[in-house]
Amino acid sequence: MSPTDTSNTSQAGPGLVLSARDLAKAFGSNVVLRGIDIDVLRGQVVALIGPSGSGKTTVLRSLNGLEVPDAGTVTFGDADAGTVRGSGAGLTLDFAGPVGQREIAALRDRSAMVFQHYNLFPHMTVLKNIIEGPVQVQKRPRAEVVAEAERLLARVGLEDKRDAYPFELSGGQQQRVGIVRALALKPQLLLFDEPTSALDPELVGEVLGVIKELADEGWTMVIVTHELAFARQVADEVIFMDGGVVVERGPAAEVLREPREERTKQFVKRLQHDV
Amino acid sequence: MTFNWDLVWSSFGPIIGGAVTGTIPLTLASFALGLALALLVALLRLSPNRALSGVARFYVSVIRGTPLLVQLFVIFYGLPSLGVKLEPWPSAIIAFSLNVGGYAAEVIRAAILSVPKGQWEAGHTIGMSRPQTLVRIILPQAARVSVPPLSNTFISLVKDTSLASLILVTELFRNAQQIAAFSQEFMILYLESASVYWLICLVLSTGQSALERRLDRYVAH
């Protein structure tokens, strides 16, 4: 399950997995991103925090091509960064010009998304949900993918749910399946969009536990979250966004314990009061 | 008045025969073609291309805004004046398919729209193209939603095929009419044909329930 035994060996070394520059995006007259830069190093966990409407989810979705920024670039990997699906070559998308379906597909080749509302396919069993991408899109041998899926399911404690339908699972179980579905794609980068926001409080822990284990194993991740305690535990870098700009960034302990910027201070204080 | 039981029994054969060789194949062929057409029209309607969605909208509007009988007559009696002469069967299948296509297109469009946007995104994020996501993720879920309304369309079609008797297609009702004209027993023959239509529709309703149960197996109750 660790990134090193998913044939993604390059992930072990140092180097830049992802580099986004000057991302800008407006929905009509509503400007959501005003020039965002993000660098993610191999094995690094980056937490994006900020009030709702700050643009953090839009940044995350841009990295997976679910939103197409109006301007800016996203560069994936360097020469030695190979994926199962992609060629070894790096990839740069410049959103200032037209971006084709093929380029978006190449972007999605390299990252996998875990959604706030899980977005499992309700008409497929847990196993089918997991193997759909690897079998249908990546064209990997079905037997190999099934074995891998069963291993991953066991890893998150859901080996007995492989033939269940999503509606038969709790939210926490569905989200763990969502995480396994993303892992099965063997991406270079895992993206989490508020993975515990839709969960009942008593189910949050089991999902955060899985994410923490992935972090410990060296997966490279970008996580949008409101769980500051979790971010402090897991993230190497915290980026605080507000109003479509990065207000503050730095090591998790610094940004969350001793924020420099007034807006960060207020935000951190407010969320901690809620706890 | 004495009830002519002999006629009831002797006419039963031709009426059932008309159902088996006329009504049922006409319904099945028209529904299958109509559904394929409807899917195409629904996708055109959902297309961001304004010209394409305009064409689809126009088609649906014309089909739903004109009587089926008039559509049948235009194709069978009208087209020959433009040099297009079609036999009764092809005329009927074309008219009924076009009709089903118009009504079912709206059903399918609504069903596709009822699938949450997150399902498209989940498809894309595992690397699927739009067509792939449509076929493997969206349509199976849309199918579940559209079974009840499409069953209505199907059942209506069974009964609407009786209109084909007016363009000389030999089907259930045309056989009944001929025996009625010959025997002058209108009530018997028309009630008899009514009960056969009803019987067919009862069978279809049972099939609908079974299909709904099958498609509901992945939904919380």
Side-chain angles (χ1 to χ4, degrees), chain B residues 114-179:
Chain B
S114 78
V115 178
K117 195 168 143 258
Q119 291 293 311
W120 283 99
E121 294 188 343
H124 294 331
T125 200
I126 64 168
M128 288 185 167
S129 62
R130 279 190 68 84
Q132 218 174 356
T133 309
L134 178 76
V135 170
R136 297 198 55 89
I137 309 297
I138 305 301
L139 288 182
Q141 297 180 58
R144 191 184 68 80
V145 185
S146 52
V147 165
L150 285 183
S151 300
N152 273 342
T153 310
F154 193 41
I155 285 172
S156 297
L157 177 64
V158 171
K159 298 173 292 177
D160 287 345
T161 56
S162 59
L163 293 173
S165 63
L166 295 166
I167 61 165
L168 316 176
V169 173
T170 308
E171 45 67 75
L172 191 163
F173 192 59
R174 186 165 169 79
N175 286 354
Q177 277 181 310
Q178 283 173 340
I179 302 169

Side-chain angles (χ1 to χ4, degrees), chain B residues 75-99:
Chain B
I75 288 169
F76 186 68
Y77 294 113
L79 283 184
S81 67
L82 299 178
V84 183
K85 208 166 175 324
L86 294 169
E87 294 298 310
W89 264 84
S91 302
I93 289 177
I94 290 170
F96 292 131
S97 304
L98 288 173
N99 196 262

Side-chain angles (χ1 to χ4, degrees), chain A residues 24-43:
Chain A
K25 174 81 180 171
F27 296 106
S29 61
N30 179 19
V31 182
V32 238
L33 302 182
R34 302 167 189 272
I36 304 288
D37 296 346
I38 293 188
D39 289 317
V40 186
L41 298 172
R42 190 148 295 131

Side-chain angles (χ1 to χ4, degrees), chain A residues 61 64 66 108 113 115 119-124 132-133 136-137 165 167 181 185, chain B residues 117-119 121-128 132 136-137 140-141 217-220:
Chain A
R61 290 164 57 83
N64 197 241
L66 291 176
R108 290 180 181 145
M113 180 82 119
F115 295 93
N119 295 3
L120 298 183
F121 307 126
H123 59 300
M124 296 182 185
E132 180 74 4
Q136 295 295 329
V137 181
Y165 282 95
F167 80 90
R181 180 172 70 178
L185 294 165
Chain B
K117 195 168 143 258
Q119 291 293 311
E121 294 188 343
H124 294 331
T125 200
I126 64 168
M128 288 185 167
Q132 218 174 356
R136 297 198 55 89
I137 309 297
Q141 297 180 58
R217 73 195 183 283
Y218 59 81
V219 184

Side-chain angles (χ1 to χ4, degrees), chain B residues 24-42:
Chain B
I24 292 171
L26 187 55
T27 304
L28 292 178
S30 305
F31 194 69
L33 290 172
L35 266 194
L37 181 64
L39 179 59
L40 178 72
V41 173

